[in-house]
Amino acid sequence: MAQLSKSYEPQVIESKHYASWQANKLYRSEINHEKKPYSILMPPPNVTGILHFGHVLNHTLQDIYIRRHRMTGNEVCWFPGLDHAGIATQTKVEQELRKEKLTRHDLGREKFTSKVWEWKDKYGGIILRQLRTLGISADWSRTLFTMDESASNAVREVFIRLFDEGLIYRGKRIINWSPLAQSALSDEEVLFREVKEHLFTLRYYIEGTSECLTVSTVRPETIFGDVAVAVNPKDERYSALVGKNVVVPIIGRLVPIITDDYADPTFGTGVVKITPAHDPNDFEVGLRHNLEQPNAINPDATLNDLAGEFAGLDRFVARKKVVERLKELELIEKIEDYTHNVGFSERGGEAVEPYLSDQWFVKMKPLAEPALAAVMNGEISFYPNHWVKTYEHWMTGIRDWCISRQLWWGHRIPVYYSPDGSFTAAHSEAEARQKLGLSSDVTLRQDEDVLDTWFSSWLWPMTTMNWLADGKTEETEEMSYFMPTNLLVTAPEIIFFWVARMIMASLKFKGKIPFKDVYFTSIVRDIKGRKMSKSLGNSPDPVDIIAKYGADAVRFTMIYLSPMGMDIRLDVNEQTQDVPSMEIGRNFANKIWNAGRFILMKQAEAGESKVVLSEKEYSTADKWIMSRFHSTVQSIADALDNHKVTEYSKILYDFIWRDFCDWYVEIMKVQFAAVEDSAYRQGLSNFALSIFDGIMRLLHPVMPFITEELWLAIANRDENASISIANAPECNPSFIQPEIEQQFGLLQEIVEEVRRLRSNSAIPPHEKLPVTLSSETNLLKEFFETQSKIISTLAKCSSVRVGIGLSKPEQSSSSVYRGVEIYLELAGTIDLDKERARLQKELERLTGLEKSFASKLSNEGFLAKAPASVVVAEQEKLEGIRESLMKISANLKAL
């Protein structure tokens, strides 16, 4: 048996055990048809990423299921990987180049991408190393990078197939444009925040008259792209003007007055200018009315030649200049303050420009229909289920996906253009010539753009299993065995960008769903309720927190505080007592460690042996803890099977802390001291260790390090033994005895009630007092009599008298719990006159406080002016005062 240190030191054991697990290749997976497969796809973190608390929660959840199923006999595979994160990675490297006063254009495409690969090899993947400190048990030998050759082959093949089917096309659309990166952005790369600007109401004069329409806009610099003004067809104010022309301010262009439902009669004047190249809604209006799409802004967000004298000015500088000119021309009706949401680039921080450009798109509707059906018919389940409605709403109104990005880092679009403008998608220039019917001497040009990062991520369920790794192999052993995977754990904000698209791709190319269950994680918030993020500076480095508290403490706390479908509020830096901190997990780990040390000490005291108690030798307490253990095994299985992971942690916490540590270990001391027989003591310590062994195996999925250390310490194990590959405990219903659990639950409550009576009477901890228990039935009477030694020890009683219908002893405080009358005899222990005087004084003080708080809370002026939180706090104080009054009154009556 190993010797355990006096205190638990996570930093010492965690690196030791993780190194051992890796050296022994415990988490390597293989195709084993004798076992049932269980697999999870790790959402690939960005290669630029560093660990944050969202990752901690997400990966702990995954690891719980992976470890649990490994211990229940499945062949487990957790597929890890990294995303190449196109714009994020390119931005990082360009920042490095700027330090050398260089741009990517100075290097050229080939040298620049080589630089990015160098950066990736040096700095990329830090997050995967950080995840190891969390203790996750992924099969690292299967780590896939989305730019690896195998994944790139699949990406290229998918693009070509969709192109050939007509599901990929090139067209003009309004997209999110980053003027700094000079690239399209996906929606998840745009952060919206409130901005205070101005709403300008401009005069558009009706052709040939002195009358005008007033049109409101926040972007007067875009008037150079105006092609119409629109009114609502039901807006009678303007019905007589429809079909006439108005004059665009400054430039004097005539544009028609049209009707469209997009015009909101209740906003501004009810008239909107239509600028199809610079607003997504205007673009749709333009399509409906076959309007031109003049673009007045350059890719760098300066105005172009359409703006005349304003050409070359930055869009925001141009706005000021245009407003000045409009004022000079008396074409501004009014200027109002206006607050609205504006999108900003997540990477560059600049305002995103709605921009009309030629881009590549995937037609989504044909792909979305089967993917929607798979969720609606229950083939794929969402946890929490309310995300199904969100998914359905998005999928039924799905828009085509813009997949091209104006970057150099990423999967280059495999489209080749001939000198005459014809083009096709192909694996190579030679194949493209063949498809276009061109001779070998014709030089083709490959498209300069790369694919959206999500275009490789949507293939993740297949590329992780080597699908099309060589560009040809459709079915791999891994896909036949592990697909569909069992569980996906992910953030709800990427339900559309990733989850939905993976379902579409897997059904399209394999005819299979990619996963059976999707668990959407909570949002981690700080003590003020704000989402933890680097930009707010409210998200400490989890690696530092792990170093301080230990990985197990961090893992357990995150799970304990994360009910499915609810956000977490977490006080990482222990700034307040009102919000939970990592102390939850650390205190729990220390409790478990001390229990393990105590049982090992008792075993050493009794002498090591293989003596096993027979069931006939089990005390009632032994039967109770055995029953509670097997009830807990069943409850845990039910919780995890239903993805109630927080419930799993709380079931464990309550059983281990309360039932095992606070009760059974204390009862074991009583039993150990009561019998001198060494064989019994050896059997008792072995029995306790067997329960503790099972507890370690139940706890291992969420707290892998401490359970490994203790499990190895409590028995003589083989050299390469690990709790990771031990069998999970199974519930044996024959050991569950509800009657004993009920009786012992009553015993626990009675002991705690005696402790409360002692506390209310300020009895010193060392002083033991007589207790009388009067029950209503013989069954309970006999049970309490057999357990009187335990009650006496745990409730600090000098004696325990048990009977039916016993009268109340003089000078005793009393309580009733589930029909059992409890009397704590106080005679001779305290000066009764002094105690009565003390209690009377306290009663008078509390009565005065009660009147004061009740008066305040009946004051309508206070209730009307005070914030709701203050009113609630005052009500809680009043309730606490009244509760204290009841206790003081009861104690006075008892005296």
Side-chain angles (χ1 to χ4, degrees), residues 17-74:
H17 287 310
Y18 203 84
S20 172
W21 295 335
Q22 294 304 301
N24 292 320
K25 300 179 181 178
L26 295 186
Y27 308 138
R28 291 281 181 95
S29 55
E30 58 185 30
I31 312 300
N32 183 350
H33 293 289
E34 293 180 6
K35 286 185 176 183
K36 187 177 177 182
Y38 184 90
S39 58
I40 291 179
L41 299 166
M42 181 188 293
N46 285 353
V47 67
T48 59
I50 58 168
L51 198 67
H52 58 65
F53 279 98
H55 292 126
V56 171
L57 174 61
N58 188 305
H59 288 81
T60 300
L61 282 163
Q62 294 175 72
D63 202 29
I64 285 171
Y65 279 93
I66 285 291
R67 288 182 181 275
R68 169 80 175 169
H69 282 274
R70 189 180 288 118
M71 296 176 79
T72 53
N74 294 116

Side-chain angles (χ1 to χ4, degrees), residues 629-681:
F629 174 76
H630 284 277
S631 295
T632 299
V633 171
Q634 186 59 55
S635 298
I636 280 172
D638 293 343
L640 289 177
D641 288 348
N642 290 287
H643 299 91
K644 296 178 179 178
V645 187
T646 295
E647 192 174 312
Y648 152 75
S649 70
K650 293 191 173 179
I651 292 166
L652 272 174
Y653 186 88
D654 291 344
F655 171 67
I656 295 171
W657 191 296
R658 176 178 158 81
D659 291 342
F660 188 76
C661 296
D662 282 356
W663 290 93
Y664 185 72
V665 168
E666 294 304 313
I667 291 168
M668 181 189 169
K669 293 177 185 177
V670 178
Q671 295 182 161
F672 207 83
V675 179
E676 293 290 336
D677 179 47
S678 61
Y680 171 78
R681 286 183 166 190

Side-chain angles (χ1 to χ4, degrees), residues 507-527:
L507 288 171
K508 169 67 178 171
F509 297 107
K510 290 305 299 173
K512 290 182 183 180
I513 56 171
F515 28 71
K516 298 171 186 175
D517 295 331
V518 183
Y519 184 105
F520 293 107
T521 56
S522 311
I523 295 173
V524 185
R525 301 187 181 276
D526 67 7
I527 56 175

Side-chain angles (χ1 to χ4, degrees), residues 604-800:
E605 188 180 322
E608 259 189 66
S609 77
K610 294 184 179 179
V611 175
V612 177
L613 291 182
S614 67
E615 288 187 38
K616 290 180 181 178
E617 294 177 283
Y618 285 178
S619 68
T620 305
D622 298 336
K623 292 175 184 175
W624 166 73
I625 197 64
M626 180 69 89
S627 179
R628 286 292 304 120
F629 174 76
H630 284 277
S631 295
T632 299
V633 171
Q634 186 59 55
S635 298
I636 280 172
D638 293 343
L640 289 177
D641 288 348
N642 290 287
H643 299 91
K644 296 178 179 178
V645 187
T646 295
E647 192 174 312
Y648 152 75
S649 70
K650 293 191 173 179
I651 292 166
L652 272 174
Y653 186 88
D654 291 344
F655 171 67
I656 295 171
W657 191 296
R658 176 178 158 81
D659 291 342
F660 188 76
C661 296
D662 282 356
W663 290 93
Y664 185 72
V665 168
E666 294 304 313
I667 291 168
M668 181 189 169
K669 293 177 185 177
V670 178
Q671 295 182 161
F672 207 83
V675 179
E676 293 290 336
D677 179 47
S678 61
Y680 171 78
R681 286 183 166 190
Q682 289 165 357
L684 180 62
S685 61
N686 287 339
F687 173 81
L689 279 173
S690 72
I691 298 291
F692 192 71
D693 179 293
I695 287 171
M696 292 301 96
R697 287 179 286 132
L698 286 177
L699 187 62
H700 177 71
V702 68
M703 299 180 82
F705 292 113
I706 192 171
T707 52
E708 180 78 288
E709 182 76 3
L710 288 169
W711 186 79
L712 291 172
I714 61 176
N716 295 312
R717 312 283 185 193
D718 292 339
E719 185 181 348
N720 294 323
S722 170
I723 194 171
S724 294
I725 51 176
N727 292 328
E730 292 183 13
C731 174
N732 185 339
S734 66
F735 282 116
I736 297 177
Q737 301 184 58
E739 187 178 331
I740 286 181
E741 286 195 37
Q742 190 176 5
Q743 287 178 338
F744 235 86
L746 180 58
L747 180 148
Q748 288 174 304
E749 295 296 339
I750 284 170
V751 168
E752 288 178 346
E753 192 60 32
V754 173
R755 289 170 176 170
R756 276 191 286 273
L757 291 173
R758 288 175 61 91
S759 174
N760 290 343
S761 298
I763 305 300
H766 65 275
E767 191 157 358
K768 295 184 177 182
L769 299 178
V771 166
T772 297
L773 302 176
S774 179
S775 74
E776 296 176 329
T777 66
N778 267 320
L779 185 66
L780 279 179
K781 171 181 173 290
E782 290 169 5
F783 174 70
F784 291 140
E785 283 174 340
T786 61
Q787 304 304 312
S788 61
K789 182 66 177 173
I790 289 170
I791 295 170
S792 175
T793 303
L794 299 183
K796 297 185 187 300
C797 310
S798 57
S799 64
V800 178

Side-chain angles (χ1 to χ4, degrees), residues 296-309:
I297 295 181
N298 293 315
D300 63 356
T302 59
L303 271 59
N304 65 20
D305 291 343
L306 278 183
E309 65 187 280

Side-chain angles (χ1 to χ4, degrees), residues 323-340:
V323 169
E324 288 173 9
R325 179 56 52 83
L326 289 167
K327 286 178 179 177
E328 290 172 12
L329 297 172
E330 297 183 351
L331 293 174
I332 295 184
E333 181 80 12
K334 61 180 175 179
I335 301 174
E336 303 167 88
D337 290 337
Y338 184 63
T339 301
H340 65 137

